[in-house]
Amino acid sequence: MKGYGNMSGRINYTIEEKVGAIFVYVFLAIIALLCLLPFIYVISVSVSSDEALAKYGAALIPKELSLNAYGFILQHGERIVVSYRNSIFIVVVGTFLAVLVTAGLAYPLSRKDLPGRNYFMIYVLFSMLFNGGLIPLYIVVRNIGLINSIWALIIPALINPWNLILMRNFFMELPKSLEESAFIDGANEIQILYEIILPLSKPIVATIAVFYAVPLWNDWFRALIFVTERTKWPIMMFLQEVIQASSASDTLQFSSRSTIPPSQSLRMAVVVVATVPILLSYPLAQKHFVKGVLIGSIKG
Amino acid sequence: MRKTLMRLTSLLIAVLMVSALFIGCSQKGEDQQQKKDNVTNQAEANGKKEENNEDVQKKEIPTYKITMTMYGAQTSVNKPKYYDDVLNKINEKLSSEEGFKIDPEVIILPNEQYEEKINVDLAAGKSYDLVRHNIDIRSLVNKNLVKDITGLLEKNGQSIKENIPNNVWGEVSSNGKIFAIPMPAFPIWINGWIRGDWLDKIGMQPPSTVSELESIMQAFRDEDLDENGINDTVPLLTLYDHVEMFLLGLYTDTPGDFVDNNGNVRPRYYAKGYKDFVELLRKWYKEGYIDDFIFNGEEGQLGEIFGQNKAGIQIGKVWELEWGSTSTINKSRPETKIRFFPQFGKELKKYMSPGIATEYVFVPTTSKNPEAAIKYLDWFMYDEENYRLVMSGIEGLTYQIDGSTIKPPQSELDAGVESIEELKGHFANVYNARFNFEFWPSSTPKESINAYKYCANIDLSKAYVPVSKYIGVSVSDNAKIKSEDAESIADDYISRIVRGEMDISAFDEMLKEYEKAGGLDKYEELKKAYK
């Protein structure tokens, strides 16, 4: 909206601009509401009583409030606490190591004077396009002794080729004069990377950290395949189990017949408990995220 | 010079990386060798065990690790309080009666991803001794994942063999070999659930014939039983598969794929009487007794819609009231007085059965202790005392019997323990429906118990199991895909006929389209094997 200035310094907008702005805001508000609705639904069901849900069904505004579901979670919370602890460990340690390793590979690949750089890039791109599959991955993880270890959820996910390319492209845009002057001052390659390059690369580091952290938080499939001990399962795996426990589908689970299926409100409460941390931490990294998505693509 | 050296170094590193990739791919050969070693070790262990049996008191009793897997949910991570006590008791009895002990590990995996997880584990060579499953065993046999246990059962599973009827073994056999131990439970698993409070209002009893059902549906449709002033109640809430299993047997004595007079294997649509069944549903749709939910609904919605007074009758699975979406309604709205009613046995020519052994336990080819695993099952599966020990633990310590319910001891209940498993853990991944039905957890609704007992105890001679269950071959992927496409076409025709969009005469056109789409290819393959 451009408007035009007047003598008092205020910007006056034309009627067309005001109408246009109203349309844009209304449209964006509708989109935002549509995005928010599922969350409101989940929260609403989690604080509704089972009786109200049975009588009236789920509603955006609960008919009868009840915190029984959260009480149940707190009362039998040992499993949630353990799963949370695992998820936090996986995300914190996994993200830190992933960023470190990715930067360690992206930086040399960004150097034009690295001999054989193209061969290494082809190797990286090859892994991006072609995949050995789940069973070979399982065999590799088993043969390096990581089956049933929480590290099976971290180490195989340490490098993502897409994130690597983003980081490499960012490093390529940094002025070479910085490295040259550091080199003249006696710094070696590793010092240049960690003391000069990385501190200047906060946007891309934050972006890549988010790109690694969110899938690490959300991942349950790797836990299902590589880890059988429940004490090492992340929160999303626990959530899967709680949601599926309510559905007998085609099987008769006679030997676990004494486990009562959780109510709808309890399932939604577990969803809230499992997703709130990542929802709260995302806005903190948002400004870096938006900038960072474009970093690797825009030249000049 | 320096540049050349750097280039050569880079090339060497690249070659090493590619070599590592190929070396990793060659690991399969080593796994096969490892497999052979395990078999050799097992044979040696068996040989050693034979010697031990001769003088078991003097020599150390062998302990076998048995890894079992099943689907389910488990919310506790702590070791159960009395796990060691129960295990010691099991081993005490096992060692004195059978001459060995076990070190059991029961891995419980989530339901929906179970098949994928098991496929990955078995394909990657992970060792399990007993795997519980419910898919067509032949698909696993074809992938060489399942051990032929015919010989093992002859040697170590006499009790299991004697207690399972011969016809049930056919469901887990292929080419005359047995590949799994079936767990017969319910020959049929569809029945009716009805709002008892609404029945009381109209002064009727649960239906036992089709005409009684129609009278009730008419009353549910016309009387405003939910008292909301709106005529929005659909009397019967069901899915097509469910109502087919409930009623098809009224019209044909082959409610499932069958062999016709010419020796051809044919799908159920070709049975004389199937058209009459479709006509009945068409009539019900026109009367407003059923609506589009029969074709578009989902199982998980049954309870919600039922509880919101939008329907008065459900035709669904036997465990719906205890485990399905209707369980929440039953608990939170006991005033609905949901009651069970069985299939109309007097009117049915045959009950439509999906198979008597819908679940089974198999021994993978990667098993390390198959003999011990079968012997362990044989020891307790059909022995009441041993079964109770393995499944419920020690009376007074992990469970108490209160009339016909089985539950944790009172002191544990007072401390907040809800299930026996929290006290004892799991020592097996099987069940025996016969023993399970003697006692019930206190949480099982009474109407569910009635439903389970009825479905488990029908006259087996009246249960029709599809012919394909006994033909010991797996159909080709191409035929399966064609069959699925043809079934979609058939479903579409049937839904339009029921809704009144097409005349009933379109049924014959449907059969032609079904054939054109290659729906009979699968049955041609089955016919060849049937001979």
Side-chain angles (χ1 to χ4, degrees):
Chain A
M1 282 173 59
K2 288 184 180 171
Y4 58 89
N6 61 19
M7 294 295 287
S8 64
R10 283 181 60 197
I11 297 176
N12 290 324
Y13 296 105
T14 63
I15 291 174
E16 290 88 359
E17 283 170 339
K18 283 181 187 171
V19 168
I22 291 169
F23 267 115
V24 167
Y25 282 123
V26 166
F27 178 72
L28 289 174
I30 292 170
I31 299 287
L33 197 63
L34 285 174
C35 292
L36 273 175
L37 273 175
F39 293 108
I40 298 171
Y41 173 87
V42 165
I43 293 170
S44 168
V45 172
S46 73
V47 296
S48 299
S49 69
D50 287 337
E51 204 176 81
L53 287 171
K55 242 187 207 166
Y56 308 110
L60 284 177
I61 300 169
K63 293 271 192 295
E64 281 172 28
L65 279 174
S66 165
L67 293 176
N68 285 345
Y70 291 100
F72 181 89
I73 289 171
L74 287 173
Q75 194 184 358
H76 295 80
E78 53 176 313
R79 176 77 193 274
I80 289 188
V81 169
V82 167
S83 300
Y84 245 117
R85 189 189 65 205
N86 294 337
S87 282
I88 290 169
F89 178 83
I90 291 164
V91 169
V92 170
V93 173
T95 305
F96 175 74
L97 287 177
V99 170
L100 209 64
V101 172
T102 305
L105 182 58
Y107 176 65
L109 287 178
S110 71
R111 299 286 302 274
K112 288 194 174 122
D113 55 349
L114 175 72
R117 182 174 88 134
N118 290 338
Y119 297 122
F120 292 123
M121 268 319 294
I122 290 169
Y123 196 77
V124 167
L125 283 171
F126 189 85
S127 68
M128 202 165 127
L129 297 169
F130 300 102
N131 190 314
L134 187 56
I135 292 168
L137 176 62
Y138 181 92
I139 292 171
V140 167
V141 172
R142 184 192 62 192
N143 287 353
I144 57 178
L146 289 183
I147 289 296
N148 228 8
S149 162
I150 204 167
W151 292 99
L153 310 180
I154 296 172
I155 290 175
L158 277 184
I159 298 186
N160 178 296
W162 172 251
N163 296 342
L164 175 77
I165 290 169
L166 275 181
M167 215 171 203
R168 186 198 79 141
N169 288 352
F170 181 87
F171 289 154
M172 282 167 72
E173 294 302 312
L174 292 175
K176 292 292 168 279
S177 52
L178 285 171
E179 295 171 43
E180 284 164 5
S181 53
F183 193 68
I184 289 166
D185 289 340
N188 61 34
E189 302 284 5
I190 294 179
Q191 281 174 311
I192 292 171
L193 171 62
Y194 288 108
E195 292 176 23
I196 294 171
I197 302 295
L198 280 182
L200 287 174
S201 306
K202 279 186 191 149
I204 193 65
V205 167
T207 304
I208 298 300
V210 169
F211 283 171
Y212 277 121
V214 172
L216 281 172
W217 180 266
N218 289 336
D219 186 35
W220 55 269
F221 188 70
R222 257 193 263 263
L224 171 76
I225 298 296
F226 298 128
V227 180
T228 45
E229 279 181 44
R230 275 172 170 72
T231 50
K232 293 173 188 168
W233 277 1
I235 189 73
M236 288 302 172
M237 197 61 223
F238 171 66
L239 179 62
Q240 269 282 321
E241 204 174 28
V242 167
I243 287 171
Q244 288 179 29
S246 63
S247 158
S249 69
D250 289 328
T251 64
L252 301 169
Q253 301 166 19
F254 272 112
S255 36
S256 59
R257 220 169 55 177
S258 48
T259 307
I260 297 161
S263 62
Q264 203 177 359
S265 58
L266 178 59
R267 282 187 282 152
M268 293 300 131
V270 173
V271 170
V272 170
V273 165
T275 54
V276 157
I278 205 75
L279 283 174
L280 291 177
S281 56
Y282 182 79
L284 300 173
Q286 191 185 12
K287 61 174 181 181
H288 301 297
F289 184 75
V290 172
K291 207 195 305 184
V293 168
L294 298 173
I295 276 172
S297 59
I298 296 177
K299 295 266 181 201
Chain B
M1 179 67 180
R2 188 167 176 265
K3 254 192 179 170
T4 311
L5 196 63
M6 296 289 277
R7 281 207 179 110
L8 281 171
T9 310
S10 305
L11 190 59
L12 184 66
I13 292 171
V15 166
L16 282 172
M17 285 161 77
V18 171
S19 305
L21 184 67
F22 285 116
I23 288 168
C25 290
S26 74
Q27 284 296 311
K28 194 182 175 195
E30 290 180 17
D31 288 339
Q32 285 174 344
Q33 183 57 45
Q34 198 176 359
K35 227 185 270 181
K36 285 180 193 163
D37 290 339
N38 284 340
V39 170
T40 312
N41 289 342
Q42 173 66 33
E44 283 173 8
N46 287 344
K48 283 182 185 166
K49 206 168 73 62
E50 296 282 349
E51 291 175 29
N52 284 344
N53 282 342
E54 291 174 10
D55 201 0
V56 68
Q57 286 179 351
K58 288 183 184 173
K59 294 186 182 177
E60 195 182 322
I61 293 171
T63 302
Y64 297 105
K65 183 166 172 66
I66 298 178
T67 310
M68 297 170 265
T69 181
M70 57 183 280
Y71 26 72
Q74 199 174 325
T75 49
S76 172
V77 291
N78 297 327
K79 188 177 179 182
K81 197 170 165 186
Y82 300 112
Y83 183 89
D84 291 331
D85 299 286
V86 177
L87 180 58
N88 288 340
K89 184 80 182 164
I90 290 171
N91 278 330
E92 194 186 301
K93 284 203 89 189
L94 256 181
S95 56
S96 68
E97 291 171 24
E98 300 292 334
F100 70 94
K101 293 182 186 178
I102 57 161
D103 173 18
E105 183 188 5
V106 179
I107 299 168
I108 301 175
L109 299 166
N111 217 347
E112 301 251 336
Q113 291 80 32
Y114 184 78
E115 190 176 336
E116 194 164 9
K117 167 75 172 156
I118 290 297
N119 284 343
V120 169
D121 283 353
L122 294 180
K126 183 170 169 137
S127 173
Y128 290 117
D129 296 295
L130 292 169
V131 176
R132 179 161 151 185
H133 219 331
N134 61 359
I135 64 166
D136 182 10
I137 187 75
R138 289 164 203 106
S139 61
L140 299 171
V141 171
N142 289 346
K143 292 175 191 167
N144 293 321
L145 296 175
V146 183
K147 204 174 175 59
D148 170 11
I149 56 170
T150 318
L152 283 174
L153 284 170
E154 285 300 320
K155 197 175 163 196
N156 299 309
Q158 279 305 311
S159 165
I160 294 172
K161 279 221 78 181
E162 282 160 14
N163 280 282
I164 295 177
N166 283 335
N167 60 322
V168 183
W169 285 110
E171 294 182 22
V172 291
S173 302
S174 181
N175 296 327
K177 297 177 190 169
I178 299 173
F179 286 96
I181 297 171
M183 289 187 281
F186 297 135
I188 58 170
W189 20 301
I190 296 291
N191 53 243
W193 303 103
I194 191 165
R195 289 275 302 256
D197 56 337
W198 286 10
L199 277 179
D200 292 342
K201 282 183 185 174
I202 59 174
M204 293 176 93
Q205 293 298 315
S208 58
T209 62
V210 174
S211 60
E212 284 176 17
L213 177 61
E214 286 178 336
S215 303
I216 292 172
M217 288 197 291
Q218 189 181 4
F220 280 8
R221 182 195 64 189
D222 297 337
E223 314 279 336
D224 182 25
L225 293 168
D226 57 349
E227 294 167 1
N228 65 351
I230 308 167
N231 187 11
D232 61 349
T233 302
V234 170
L236 174 59
L237 190 71
T238 186
L239 299 173
Y240 186 81
D241 293 345
H242 295 171
V243 74
E244 186 186 55
M245 287 185 103
F246 194 85
L247 292 174
L248 183 58
L250 290 170
Y251 296 97
T252 171
D253 48 16
T254 56
D257 48 58
F258 65 101
V259 180
D260 68 11
N261 294 334
N262 299 323
N264 297 316
V265 182
R266 285 286 176 259
R268 63 200 186 284
Y269 305 121
Y270 286 73
K272 192 178 165 191
Y274 198 95
K275 196 172 169 180
D276 299 326
F277 162 69
V278 173
E279 198 155 7
L280 175 74
L281 291 183
R282 181 181 158 88
K283 175 187 146 196
W284 284 3
Y285 189 92
K286 195 175 170 190
E287 294 287 340
Y289 297 157
I290 55 175
D291 66 1
D292 288 335
F293 186 91
I294 191 173
F295 299 111
N296 303 332
E298 288 175 12
E299 208 163 345
Q301 295 171 302
L302 283 170
E304 197 181 316
I305 296 172
F306 207 55
Q308 286 164 21
N309 302 330
K310 299 263 172 54
I313 307 167
Q314 248 193 58
I315 288 176
K317 288 178 180 162
V318 64
W319 52 84
E320 174 66 23
L321 195 68
E322 187 183 8
W323 291 99
S325 53
T326 313
S327 64
T328 350
I329 308 304
N330 191 44
K331 271 183 247 150
S332 56
R333 296 190 60 200
E335 72 275 11
T336 54
K337 295 187 199 169
I338 297 173
R339 292 179 65 178
F340 147 78
F341 67 91
Q343 293 188 28
F344 306 139
K346 287 177 195 161
E347 292 185 324
L348 283 171
K349 292 184 173 144
K350 289 280 189 182
Y351 292 97
M352 186 173 178
S353 172
I356 296 165
T358 45
E359 284 188 287
Y360 52 81
V361 150
F362 70 85
V363 179
T365 45
T366 53
S367 167
K368 285 186 178 152
N369 293 305
E371 277 207 24
I374 298 291
K375 242 188 154 179
Y376 173 55
L377 290 187
D378 191 65
W379 171 75
F380 78 82
M381 264 189 88
Y382 287 93
D383 180 299
E384 194 169 350
E385 188 188 331
N386 295 339
Y387 185 87
R388 197 49 57 207
L389 172 61
V390 171
M391 301 306 264
S392 305
I394 300 167
E395 190 172 3
L397 190 68
T398 61
Y399 74 93
Q400 59 166 321
I401 291 173
D402 177 14
S404 62
T405 65
I406 191 163
K407 54 189 182 183
Q410 196 55 49
S411 55
E412 301 292 346
L413 284 172
D414 294 338
V417 171
E418 290 179 349
S419 76
I420 295 171
E421 270 67 42
E422 287 179 56
L423 296 172
K424 73 166 224 336
H426 293 271
F427 294 99
N429 62 342
V430 295
Y431 63 83
N432 179 323
R434 190 201 310 164
F435 294 148
N436 270 30
F437 292 168
E438 285 177 17
F439 302 105
W440 300 89
S442 51
S443 58
T444 305
K446 185 171 161 260
E447 288 298 303
S448 287
I449 296 174
N450 293 340
Y452 293 142
K453 282 183 174 170
Y454 181 88
C455 291
N457 294 315
I458 61 149
D459 178 3
L460 281 183
S461 65
K462 271 192 87 171
Y464 182 83
V465 176
V467 166
S468 52
K469 267 278 184 180
Y470 296 106
I471 298 174
V473 292
S474 197
V475 171
S476 68
D477 288 341
N478 194 33
K480 267 189 211 163
I481 291 168
K482 281 187 180 176
S483 174
E484 283 165 13
D485 291 340
E487 291 260 346
S488 299
I489 293 171
D491 289 346
D492 184 53
Y493 263 89
I494 289 170
S495 70
R496 284 177 194 229
I497 292 169
V498 167
R499 287 191 183 110
E501 292 167 24
M502 281 182 170
D503 191 64
I504 189 68
S505 57
F507 187 86
D508 300 317
E509 189 188 317
M510 177 205 94
L511 292 178
K512 286 183 188 143
E513 291 299 318
Y514 181 89
E515 217 171 304
K516 222 193 274 181
L520 292 180
D521 288 9
K522 165 182 158 181
Y523 296 96
E524 289 299 322
E525 290 183 19
L526 289 174
K527 177 187 173 180
K528 285 177 195 159
Y530 186 72
K531 281 180 178 165

